Amino acid sequence: MMRIPLQWTIAVTEDEAAMAHKAADVFMETARDRIKKSGHFSVAVSGGSTPRPMHRLLAEDPHDSSRVWEKTHLFWVDERCVPQDDPASNYGMARGDFVEAVAIPERQVHPMKGIVEPDRGATDYEKTLRSFFCAKQDAFPRFDLICLGIGTDGHTASLFPDHPALNETRRWVVAVKGGHPDVWRLTLTLPVLNAARKVMFLVSGGNKRDVVTKVFQNDPSGLPARRIQPGAGAVTWMLDEDAASGLLWTRGIEYDHRDEIPAHRCMRR
Ligand code: 6PG
């Protein structure tokens, strides 16, 4: 029997465009809810190509969201150690896709500095996070929302399979080398990702089908994405039909594209 983490839900959409709409809605709903409850919204976004349609929708602002952005603090899950105008820069890409277009005050945008020496970049970003979250020495920051992607090898953020960075238990940000492009990167660590209130994976395309299936089947190699199981938070897997096609929801589960369902309901037993 496959054990699916209880805090995981899935939301399957017809295609990548529908997923972007749903994800932008979740982003804004989460922001409004947190601003109502705590006065501000802290979110960390990932790089890669999958989140771009959602980011562009945020820029189009169908939600009349200027008041949300005024209270939003925007951080990054990971960054490649390249200049901000390099096409591989996660901040550079997000800046063009939505950051410059929305009403977020500049002081509330917190890019990782990809151009300093990697270990120093990691230490600097941890300082930035510590001063924002005012967390005690041994505690981890609690982001309201963390948006993640997954690579075909099962990596998430810049946490790659079998990399020693996966064992980090103390630091909030570390420097690692790897991925495509194979450059130094800065990444939030597992304890930080797992301290979030809400994590949203965005995954689309048939090339992700096998890795999604593997992650849900609890592959014994302990793929990084499988290790996203916040102690006191929720994880939503936003999947398009192609990425979800290895899960059993296509067979006999009553599924409505508007629903989010507990992930264990969609697995073969
Ligand atoms: C990065 C990421 C990384 C990404 C996945 C998926 O900067 O590379 O944060 O974890 O989310 O590699 O990337 P795609 O969306 O391009 O498939």
Side-chain angles (χ1 to χ4, degrees), residues 25-145:
D25 288 347
V26 170
F27 187 108
M28 279 299 155
E29 278 159 22
T30 309
R32 290 206 161 91
D33 178 58
R34 292 309 305 161
I35 291 167
K36 207 160 132 197
K37 290 185 176 132
S38 72
H40 67 261
F41 172 54
S42 57
V43 57
V45 296
S46 285
S49 56
T50 315
R52 300 192 73 182
M54 174 186 84
H55 289 170
R56 291 179 182 134
L57 281 174
L58 294 174
E60 282 172 21
D61 195 15
H63 303 83
D64 185 23
S65 53
S66 56
R67 293 187 57 192
V68 167
W69 289 112
E70 282 163 20
K71 304 282 182 195
T72 295
H73 288 261
L74 179 62
F75 296 86
W76 269 261
V77 165
D78 64 344
E79 184 57 279
R80 294 92 184 264
C81 294
V82 296
Q84 289 181 345
D85 56 2
D86 188 297
S89 163
N90 288 345
Y91 167 70
M93 195 165 66
R95 183 180 55 193
D97 284 344
F98 76 105
V99 180
E100 277 178 342
V102 299
I104 186 167
E106 211 180 317
R107 64 178 184 285
Q108 292 169 206
V109 180
H110 308 279
M112 288 176 164
K113 281 185 232 139
I115 41 171
V116 291
E117 186 273 318
D119 281 330
R120 210 188 108 207
T123 311
D124 284 357
Y125 206 61
E126 182 163 328
K127 277 189 196 144
T128 302
L129 292 175
R130 281 190 184 275
S131 103
F132 175 76
F133 284 98
C134 304
K136 297 204 181 85
Q137 200 58 30
D138 55 351
F140 289 99
R142 190 143 202 232
F143 278 99
D144 294 322
L145 177 65

Side-chain angles (χ1 to χ4, degrees), residues 13-14 22 67 92 204-205 220 232 257:
T13 48
E14 275 155 337
K22 184 155 181 113
R67 293 187 57 192
S204 62
H257 276 106

Side-chain angles (χ1 to χ4, degrees), residues 115-182:
I115 41 171
V116 291
E117 186 273 318
D119 281 330
R120 210 188 108 207
T123 311
D124 284 357
Y125 206 61
E126 182 163 328
K127 277 189 196 144
T128 302
L129 292 175
R130 281 190 184 275
S131 103
F132 175 76
F133 284 98
C134 304
K136 297 204 181 85
Q137 200 58 30
D138 55 351
F140 289 99
R142 190 143 202 232
F143 278 99
D144 294 322
L145 177 65
I146 295 185
C147 302
L148 294 176
I150 182 173
T152 50
D153 61 354
H155 81 259
T156 192
S158 285
L159 296 168
F160 298 97
D162 302 322
H163 195 285
L166 285 167
N167 303 324
E168 183 60 48
T169 56
R170 202 174 42 82
R171 283 178 296 171
W172 295 13
V173 187
V174 292
V176 300
K177 176 124 183 330
H180 303 287
D182 183 7

Side-chain angles (χ1 to χ4, degrees), residues 1-4 248 253 262-269:
M1 165 153 150
M2 289 142 197
R3 275 167 294 135
I4 303 294
L248 196 62
I253 300 268
H264 62 83
R265 276 187 49 202
C266 66
M267 295 305 297
R268 203 187 308 270
R269 288 179 195 277

